[in-house]
Amino acid sequence: MGVMVVSALDLDGLNLQGPLCSPVAVPAGFPSPAQDYFTGRIDLNKHLIRDITCTFLVRVSGHSMDGAGIADGDELVVDRSLTPADGNVVVAIIDGELTVKRLRLEHGRVRLAAENPEYPDVVICELSELSIWGVVTRCLHHV
Amino acid sequence: MPEMGAGKVERFALVDVNSFYVSCERAFDPSLELKPVVVLSNNDGCVVARSNEAKALGIENGDPWFKLAADAKRTGLIQRSSNYELYGDLSSRVMELLGRYSFSQEVYSIDESWLVLRGTPEELVRTGAEIKAAVALHTGLPVCVGIAPTKTLAKFVNRVAKQNPALRGVCSWDTLPSAHAEAIMSRVPVTGIWGIAGRLGKKLNALGIFTIADLKAADPVVMRKKFSVLMQRTIMELNGIPCIPLETEVATKRQLIFSRSFSTPVTTAARMHEVMAIYAQQAAIRLAKDSQQARLITCFAGTSHFNDRAASFPSVAVKLPAPTADPVLLTKAATRAWRAGLWMASRTPAPVSC
Ligand SMILES: [Mg+2]
């Protein structure tokens, strides 16, 4: 799955102060006063971005990550400063291209796994040859 | 700068992104790594930035692409159009990150910042390495860090760091062996020092001053009489006496000043337009952060403060129809004001603000 950087998130620019409700768990059974569901406005910058200096928004193309809930045209929030761990969805550099895959650290080798049986995994023998551009923290999925 | 006891010192650090525009392109396109790359101006397709590999091919800033294109296949030279929005964005990330390392920061240009650091010389070298690693991790950009008791020396050791890969991007005046420093200073032409431009260099050559070491050894009082107080300051700074202080931004409730210098003068209307747009947007960001709005924009430019001949500091003010912090409106107002009022007034502006 290829990526392009759609917006290098503006320092204060990304004006996403939209949704009225912050996500709260909805209790089953009892009726609750509306206040329980309303905890004020949510600033999507704060909600999505841990550190503005290393967070980038990229748009993906392709279908190799369909199984991870990442569809063609979705935007990903990527943190470049995180240390990639086994199981993370990452933006990896393969042959000079930015590619989205799931990172699998297995005994002695690294696998960049597609989540679509029609796409092959990329196996890297030497850990030192692995180049990770950033770790995906959110998917902005178009519904 | 003051000595602080227990071996601690206060020092200037200059952090400068290597080949900034090219590095920005590489941050999003890793296939450009290790290849000769040039960034072209949008209007006339001339080279405005080069990777080291492109420099090694003998390509100069200002070279028109149509002249390079024929040979590009053979040399593997790759071109990119300039994307000032991207460069502005990465710049603000770098500056924000650098600000976390110091209580006092002066953003000097789009890719350079001064910081004041305190610690033992060894601690400061470690801090420099940390800064370099953090910028690389967060943004993908390579920087060099020069650390010294004066701004002029920090610029000098930053250049030493750039040219000596063995230093891994960090050079401190305090830990650089003095024999090594002297050897470099007696080799590098005097125009390699901050604030000594080509024309000034020729005048110095006529006095037998050819290298940085020659200038360092000159009598500051005599040189002040022959040149200016700026020359005296440069000589004193080369000798470790701080004369050029950090200029932090002045932002009061009533006005916000956004001011930057350029390493090379802005000499075309198109480039100035781009620069004005970046600065107006940065100023808008600052306004929004402080929940403020602007009623009046003043754009001013000036020739380098090292250029004591032909000094020019034009400015023009525009009243906005209504108070605003809208980056689009501010950009329009700033660029229009610039075109209307300033371009004819000054042909060789350097710093711009709005
Ligand atoms: Mg630079």
Side-chain angles (χ1 to χ4, degrees):
Chain A
M1 204 160 206
V3 306
M4 65 177 286
V5 178
V6 281
S7 149
L9 296 172
D10 249 18
L11 266 188
D12 293 286
L14 190 73
N15 249 332
L16 286 180
Q17 212 152 23
L20 286 172
C21 298
S22 64
V24 289
V26 181
F30 306 104
S32 271
Q35 286 95 314
D36 285 2
Y37 298 98
F38 183 79
T39 57
R41 286 198 165 214
I42 181 170
D43 179 341
L44 282 183
N45 273 331
K46 285 192 187 134
H47 187 62
L48 298 175
I49 300 169
R50 188 185 57 84
D51 183 344
I52 193 77
T53 65
C54 52
T55 305
F56 295 82
L57 204 58
V58 305
R59 179 171 296 137
V60 299
S61 59
H63 296 276
S64 72
M65 293 299 280
D66 282 4
I70 301 171
D72 188 42
D74 284 352
E75 288 92 21
L76 302 177
V77 179
V78 181
D79 189 330
R80 292 202 63 172
S81 74
L82 296 177
T83 306
D86 178 50
N88 285 165
V89 174
V90 296
V91 176
I93 302 170
I94 301 174
D95 298 329
E97 303 269 325
L98 299 179
T99 308
V100 181
K101 289 281 183 289
R102 192 175 300 276
L103 179 67
R104 291 296 180 197
L105 300 172
E106 294 154 345
H107 13 267
R109 63 169 201 171
V110 181
R111 196 158 51 90
L112 291 166
E115 300 224 344
N116 181 336
E118 289 170 35
Y119 291 80
D121 295 352
V122 177
V123 176
I124 294 162
C125 297
E126 293 292 323
L127 196 61
S128 60
E129 279 167 28
L130 177 69
S131 193
I132 299 293
W133 191 85
V135 174
V136 177
T137 56
R138 300 271 180 168
C139 172
L140 307 182
H141 177 59
H142 294 243
V143 293
Chain B
M1 281 196 170
E3 303 295 320
M4 327 222 8
K8 286 194 191 299
V9 291
E10 187 171 284
R11 292 293 182 252
F12 289 107
L14 178 69
V15 186
D16 182 335
V17 182
N18 306 348
S19 309
F20 180 60
Y21 294 173
V22 170
S23 297
C24 288
E25 297 291 335
R26 283 175 169 167
F28 293 127
D29 183 355
S31 71
L32 300 176
E33 266 337 305
L34 303 174
K35 291 186 185 149
V37 180
V38 290
V39 172
L40 306 177
S41 60
N42 296 319
N43 52 321
D44 54 5
C46 288
V47 174
V48 292
R50 303 158 292 158
S51 71
N52 282 338
E53 298 79 3
K55 286 176 192 168
L57 291 174
I59 291 161
E60 299 288 339
N61 278 335
D63 285 355
W65 175 250
F66 73 84
K67 279 195 182 161
L68 304 171
D71 226 18
K73 265 224 171 85
R74 188 182 58 79
T75 57
L77 183 66
I78 301 169
Q79 55 99 358
R80 287 286 182 272
S81 309
S82 43
N83 180 349
Y84 291 103
E85 200 192 346
L86 169 72
Y87 310 151
D89 174 88
L90 282 171
S91 171
S92 48
R93 290 166 187 267
V94 171
M95 297 312 164
E96 158 115 15
L97 185 57
L98 294 179
R100 297 177 189 171
Y101 286 86
S102 176
F103 54 92
S104 197
Q105 175 183 27
E106 177 191 344
V107 177
Y108 183 62
S109 73
I110 192 164
D111 73 326
E112 291 169 284
S113 178
W114 301 102
L115 301 172
V116 175
L117 302 178
R118 286 178 184 161
T120 66
E122 292 72 23
E123 282 167 355
L124 296 189
V125 171
R126 279 199 294 277
T127 304
E130 259 172 53
I131 288 172
K132 180 175 171 58
V135 177
L137 182 66
H138 285 235
T139 66
L141 298 172
V143 299
C144 281
V145 186
I147 301 164
T150 71
K151 278 184 160 183
T152 304
L153 286 173
K155 269 268 187 188
F156 170 73
V157 289
N158 184 290
R159 179 196 159 112
V160 174
K162 267 207 176 101
Q163 296 178 345
N164 295 272
L167 292 170
R168 295 185 190 180
V170 181
C171 184
S172 157
W173 177 256
D174 298 294
T175 57
L176 184 69
S178 57
H180 191 167
E182 279 159 26
I184 299 169
M185 284 186 156
S186 52
R187 202 171 58 222
V188 180
V190 69
T191 48
I193 210 69
W194 186 43
I196 307 291
R199 192 171 34 77
L200 205 48
K202 285 199 185 103
K203 281 191 196 166
L204 289 167
N205 292 166
L207 295 173
I209 294 170
F210 294 96
T211 66
I212 297 175
D214 293 342
L215 185 62
K216 185 174 180 240
D219 182 329
V221 177
V222 172
M223 294 297 279
R224 177 189 182 143
K225 284 183 190 133
K226 284 207 169 85
F227 292 88
S228 69
V229 68
L230 303 175
M231 179 66 76
Q232 180 186 23
R233 277 188 207 154
T234 298
I235 296 169
M236 290 171 73
E237 287 232 324
L238 281 174
N239 286 283
I241 302 157
C243 301
I244 307 172
L246 210 65
E247 287 173 36
T248 46
E249 276 154 54
V250 186
T252 68
K253 282 209 174 74
R254 303 208 47 238
Q255 70 173 350
L256 181 147
I257 300 173
F258 195 90
S259 163
R260 301 287 184 268
S261 306
F262 297 93
S263 50
T264 51
V266 174
T267 54
T268 66
R271 172 86 178 106
M272 184 56 87
H273 183 94
E274 287 166 345
V275 163
M276 291 298 296
I278 293 175
Y279 287 9
Q281 286 171 38
Q282 302 271 16
I285 288 170
R286 199 73 54 78
L287 280 174
K289 203 181 238 170
D290 302 340
S291 307
Q292 291 185 323
Q293 296 188 317
R295 194 184 289 278
L296 181 86
I297 285 192
T298 306
C299 304
F300 60 92
T303 44
S304 163
H305 77 269
F306 289 116
N307 182 354
D308 40 36
R309 198 186 61 111
S312 171
F313 299 89
S315 82
V316 62
V318 207
K319 221 179 190 160
L320 295 159
T324 182
D326 182 337
V328 176
L329 291 179
L330 289 174
T331 305
K332 269 192 188 145
T335 51
R336 256 188 222 145
W338 179 258
R339 272 206 302 274
L342 275 189
W343 179 242
M344 294 314 292
S346 167
R347 306 294 297 185
T348 55
V352 190
S353 309
C354 61

